[in-house]
Each structure stands twice: as C-alpha cells, then as structure tokens.
C-alpha cells in the first residue's frame, strides 16, 4: 500500500494549480483524496501483475481478485464524481481511457490465464467504449510522445482481442486508424520506434490475410467464419459406445516456425490451434463482475475450455518449466495436450542406435547458456547417459525422449514439423494413454507454398473444409455452398467416429481419448486429413501423408472405402472430383 503522505502530497500539487486550497470544500477535497488513493493503488497492483509466475493456475488468483476489486471501485468512483474530478483534479479524458484500457487488459490477461473466452467479450466491451467515446482523441494535441504511444498500444491490444473474437470487420477499421495514428506520430515526433510500429502494421495485415480461401456473401462481402467448438461441432457418441472418460484439462501450444506470419507473439498455427481448443464465447452476466467470484450455481452447466499456455519461441528450459507445471497440476482422469508447431531439427550424424534422441526433434529457441550442440556426435553407446543429459539441458531442440517423463499421465501430442516423424518411434513406458498425431514432413511441389501463412496440416485440424478447398485449387466460395459442404462434413465426421469405435484392431489409446469432445474432433479431422491426402493425385510420396503413434489400422480408417466414397462425394459437390483418384485402393 502506498503511504498516505505521498497521496496527500500529490493532492496538494494538483489542487494548488486550481486555486486557493482553503477555498475547496471538505467534501470535494475528500473526493479527490480518495480518487488519488484508488488511482495509486490500482497502478501499484497492476504493475505487480508482471511479477506473478506465468505458470501454475492457483498462485495468481487472489492477486487478480484484489486488482479487479480496486479497478472496479476506481471505475465506478470516477463515474459518480466526474464533475468534482474535472473541476478539482483536472481529470482528462485520456486518463479515463487509461483506466478503461487497464480494465480491458485485466480481462484479456484473465482470459489467457483461464482460457475462458467470455472474458474476451469483456475486454472488447472496454476497448470498444474507449473508441466510441473518443477517450484518446485529445492526446494528439498534447506535445507528449509518451501519451501517443499509450494510444498506439491501446490500438494494438484492441486488435489482438478482435482477432481472437473473429471480429475481422472491426480489425480492418482499427488497422486503418492505427496506420493514420502512426503516420501522424512519426511526422510530429522524431522517434526511433517508427520502424517497429510499421512492422506491427505489416504483421497484422499479413495475419488477417492468412486464410487461403474466402467465403463470400451474394454481395461479395467476406463471411467471417468461426472455428471454435460449437454445440453441434463434435460428432456425438452413439448410445452404448464404449470410450474412455478422460477429459482434456491442459494444453501447451508452442510456436517456433521460422518465418511464419505472427502478431503479438501468436503465430498463425498457434492461433488456429488455440481456437480449435475453445468453445464459442458467451457474454458474462455483468460487465464489472469479478472473474472467479461467481457462485457455483451461477456458472454455466457446459464444460469449461481446457487451460492453455501459449509459448512463442520458448527456450528448452522455459518449455520444460511450463510442461512440468501443467503435469504437476493435471487433475485425475485428465489429459495433457502438447502442440508443437516448429522447424525440424535433424540428427547431425549417423547412429547405430534407434533411441529417443537419435532421430532429431523440433526447434526450441536458443539462449546464451546453450553450447554448440552441433559439434556433439553420438559416437558410441557408452556415452549415452552423458549425451541424454546434454540433449535435455543444452540442445536448442525438443526430442521425443524429452517427453518420456510426462507419459506417466495421459498425453496427447500433435507435432506439425518437417521432422515430425522423429516422434513416430515413441515408446510408451508407463502404460498410460498416449497418442501422437504427426504432420506430413513435406508437401507436393505442385501445391502452392503456404508455409508462411500457416501449415496445411494445422489448417485441416482447425478448419478442414477450408483446407479441403485449398488442396482442391479453390480460393473462394459462396456462403450457401459453404454451409452445404459444412453440413456434409459433419456427416463425414459422424461416420469417421463410427469407423473408429467399431474398429476391431484399433489401439485402445485412441478410444480412451475419444470421450472428450475436443480430442474426438481432432481425431476425426486428422483421419479426414489423412484420407484426403492419400486420395489426392498430387500427394504421392509417403512423406506427404500424416502419420500417428500408435499406427491407425489403415484399411478401417484412412483407406476405408466408405470414407473414400464420402470424400469423392464432397469433391463432386464442389466440382473438383478430377483432382482425386476414383479407385484409390487400386492406385496404391
């Protein structure tokens, strides 16, 4: 708590500029004193948020609660006493905007901590109010570049929230306004951050153009599609269907692809996987309701979203720390999901052994503590323990063996990488459910390179219809046809679910994960992706196909004639049947 003397000193400074201090009524003096105290306290608590641990789900909740308490009081206080604060304190509109912006940031960070999408709507409400009420409109008239930077940062944060809510029309308006603000800022002030702000504009422009297919209304306006889990999104389980009762509780979403489009430390692949692991957001009952404070009776009856950590280019140590925290806090009968979108790291030399560190892995970020791992070669088996230690602690890459300790609990792994096959030879040491879904390691040259705009494999897991259109050579589609195809795709998903659960030779690990809606949808989309690529005329090499650990029975899943017939029917609806083989099994 700030000393009361500091608040009193600040108060005297403010009031002395507005006239004789003795002329101010006692009630108004108290109003300004209370406001200064709340403002100082709110800043102190907000600045303390950065000191909270980024991992772990319990330590931060009470601190967030106190911070929301103070900001709730501050916001209501300035509303109730606006006239006195205007006259005696000299409250400016940009200062009100700063309070609203901080509340928006609180809601956004609470979303990041809880994965509850409803809090994105709350952040949007406050950010939108700032814009509608022009709280920052007078900033440009003051000769203070730091105030303009506050305004620019507000725009950047608002854009992130709108992207996560798929409010693309608002994003485009905000980008135009931000561009004008940056131009004015760099024209008025000779600053060194001009290049950085122009880079922000370039990043968001590339981000919103990442989707390879546009869905159009009859008037040629773009339809905004959402890829979060809807009520009818995942195929329903048949009555009597025997599947596991595990539920997805935690997910690590890791992005470390070179040159992939990103905005605000969120790559396109991370963004797509994040949305695949969330339900459609709902509005909270009260705008200023404190997160985490509702009574259990007021909570929605539907299941919550899995908790997520978003890690952009983490070091090995950072990744392992977050992974260990998730593993430690994983509830009983729950699943930990690890999504790796990363550049492949390949072994530097040949090895006679086939251990968990002999096939390479995926890239993690390097730091000053990393030694030159490329100079280390596995020369003989006697050095195995030393090399294992070096791989775990020093190499800037994540190998399959690094994940072995975490297979003591149910683990669901997705690897989207040019070296995804390194995880194909996984070993289940502890008998817990374990599944790895692995991307193709290469795509046909005839397919337009889209790697900068996100991986095709992840696009299939996020928006399978859009991915299907892209590999079929289509770049746009009318809304009516899109909706017809989406309905047919839901039928395909239902049939894939039946293929899996009726299979006599499928590994039980798949069925143990099948009770969870998110994992069920990912599995059915994975099979649809694999079947589509195997039927496509330009996907002819083995490395063009997704794989899995354990292996799926191909004749009952990805090469099932019934599923192949469905894919050809979908292609016929789109008039692209010519890009697929008709008698697929005969063509292998």
């Amino acid at each position: 708590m700030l000393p009361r003397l500091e608040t009193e000193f600040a108060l005297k400074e403010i009031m002395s500029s507005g006239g004789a201090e003795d002329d101010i009524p006692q009630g108004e003096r108290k109003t300004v004193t209370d406001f200064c105290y709340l403002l100082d306290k709110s800043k102190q608590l907000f600045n303390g948020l950065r000191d909270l641990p980024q991992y772990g789900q319990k330590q931060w909740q009470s601190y967030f609660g106190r911070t929301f308490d103070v900001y709730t009081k501050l916001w209501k206080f300035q509303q109730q006493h606006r006239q006195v604060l205007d006259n005696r304190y000299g409250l400016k509109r940009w200062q009100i905007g700063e309070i609203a912006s901080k509340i928006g940031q609180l809601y956004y960070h609470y979303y990041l901590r809880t994965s509850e999408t409803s809090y994105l709507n709350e952040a949007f409400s406050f950010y939108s109010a700032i814009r509608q009420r022009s709280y920052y409109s007078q900033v440009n008239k003051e000769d203070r570049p730091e105030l303009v930077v506050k305004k620019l940062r507000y725009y950047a944060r608002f854009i992130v929230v709108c992207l996560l809510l798929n409010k693309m029309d608002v994003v485009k308006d905000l980008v135009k306004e931000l561009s004008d603000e940056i131009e004015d800022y760099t024209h008025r002030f000779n600053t060194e951050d001009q290049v950085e702000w122009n880079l922000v504009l370039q990043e968001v422009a590339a981000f919103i153009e990442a989707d390879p297919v546009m869905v159009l209304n009859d008037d040629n306006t773009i339809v905004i599609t959402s890829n979060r889990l809807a009520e009818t999104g995942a195929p329903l389980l048949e009555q009597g269907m025997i599947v596991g009762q595990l539920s997805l509780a935690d997910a690590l979403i890791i992005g470390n692809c070179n040159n992939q489009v990103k905005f605000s430390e969120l790559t396109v692949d991370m963004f797509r996987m994040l949305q695949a692991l969330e339900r459609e957001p709902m509005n909270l009952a009260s705008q200023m309701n404190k997160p985490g404070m509702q009574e259990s009776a007021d909570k929605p009856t539907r299941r919550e979203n899995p908790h997520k950590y978003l890690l952009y280019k983490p070091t090995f140590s950072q990744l392992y720390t977050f992974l260990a925290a998730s593993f430690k806090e994983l509830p009983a009968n729950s699943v930990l999901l690890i999504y790796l979108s990363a550049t492949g790291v390949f072994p530097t030399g040949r090895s006679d052994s086939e251990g968990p560190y002999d096939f390479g892995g995926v890239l993690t970020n390097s730091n000053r503590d990393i030694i030159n791992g490329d100079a280390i070669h596995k020369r003989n088996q006697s050095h195995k323990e030393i090399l294992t230690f070096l791989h775990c602690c020093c190499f800037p890459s994540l190998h399959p063996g690094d994940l072995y300790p975490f297979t003591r609990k149910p683990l669901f792994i997705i690897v989207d990488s040019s070296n995804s096959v390194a995880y194909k030879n996984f070993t289940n040491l502890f008998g817990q459910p374990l599944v790895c879904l692995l991307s193709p390691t290469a795509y046909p040259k005839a397919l337009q390179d889209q790697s900068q705009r996100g991986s095709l494999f992840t696009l299939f897991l996020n928006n399978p219809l859009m991915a299907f259109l892209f590999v079929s050579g289509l770049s746009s589609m009318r809304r009516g046809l899109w909706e017809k195809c989406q309905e047919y795709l839901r039928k395909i998903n239902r049939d894939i679910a039946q293929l899996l659960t009726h299979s006599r030779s499928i590994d039980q690990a798949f069925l143990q994960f099948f009770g969870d809606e998110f994992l069920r949808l990912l599995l059915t989309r994975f099979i649809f992706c694999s079947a589509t690529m195997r039927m496509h005329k330009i996907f002819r090499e083995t490395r063009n196909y997704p794989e899995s650990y354990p292996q799926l029975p191909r004749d009952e899943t990805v090469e099932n004639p019934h599923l192949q017939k469905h894919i050809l029917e979908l292609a016929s609806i789109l008039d692209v049947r010519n890009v697929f083989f008709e008698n697929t099994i005969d063509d292998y």
Side-chain angles (χ1 to χ4, degrees), residues 38-139:
L38 286 172
L39 187 62
D40 289 342
K41 186 64 177 177
S42 68
K43 290 178 179 178
Q44 180 193 41
L45 288 169
F46 191 90
N47 292 336
L49 291 174
R50 65 173 64 100
D51 298 325
L52 296 176
Q54 293 178 293
Y55 49 86
Q57 298 183 43
K58 304 300 180 186
Q59 304 93 321
W60 54 270
Q61 287 183 333
S62 61
Y63 192 94
F64 254 86
R66 293 201 306 274
T67 308
F68 265 99
D69 265 337
V70 172
Y71 270 98
T72 300
K73 293 175 183 176
L74 179 62
W75 183 253
K76 291 181 178 178
F77 192 89
Q78 63 83 22
Q79 287 179 318
Q80 294 166 356
H81 304 282
R82 181 73 57 81
Q83 186 173 355
V84 173
L85 293 173
D86 285 347
N87 296 335
R88 300 301 186 185
Y89 179 83
L91 185 66
K92 297 181 178 179
R93 291 189 65 75
W94 67 262
Q95 291 173 305
I96 302 171
E98 271 294 283
I99 297 171
S101 180
K102 288 289 197 300
I103 295 172
Q105 290 176 61
L106 282 174
Y107 275 118
Y108 172 68
H109 284 287
Y110 203 82
Y111 155 73
L112 291 179
R113 296 267 185 174
T114 64
S115 300
E116 175 49 66
T117 44
S118 299
Y119 293 113
L120 283 174
N121 283 330
E122 303 307 305
F124 177 83
S125 295
F126 277 90
Y127 285 146
S128 184
I130 293 171
R131 182 168 172 245
Q132 291 171 357
R133 300 173 189 177
S134 304
Y135 282 137
Y136 282 120
S137 61
Q138 301 300 312
V139 162

Side-chain angles (χ1 to χ4, degrees), residues 27 139 145 158 236 292 348 366 391 395 426 467 469 481 498 511 527 561:
V139 162
F158 194 8
L236 296 175
T348 55
S366 60
H391 271 292
F395 262 40
F426 227 97
L469 295 173
L481 185 56
Q498 289 183 6
L511 298 181
I527 291 173

Side-chain angles (χ1 to χ4, degrees), residues 101-102 127 199 210 221 296 345 350 378 382 407 451 466 505 518 542:
S101 180
K102 288 289 197 300
Y127 285 146
L199 181 60
T221 56
S296 59
V345 176
R350 297 190 62 181
K378 305 183 184 72
S382 64
T407 60
S451 56
M466 183 172 287
S505 55
F518 293 105
T542 303

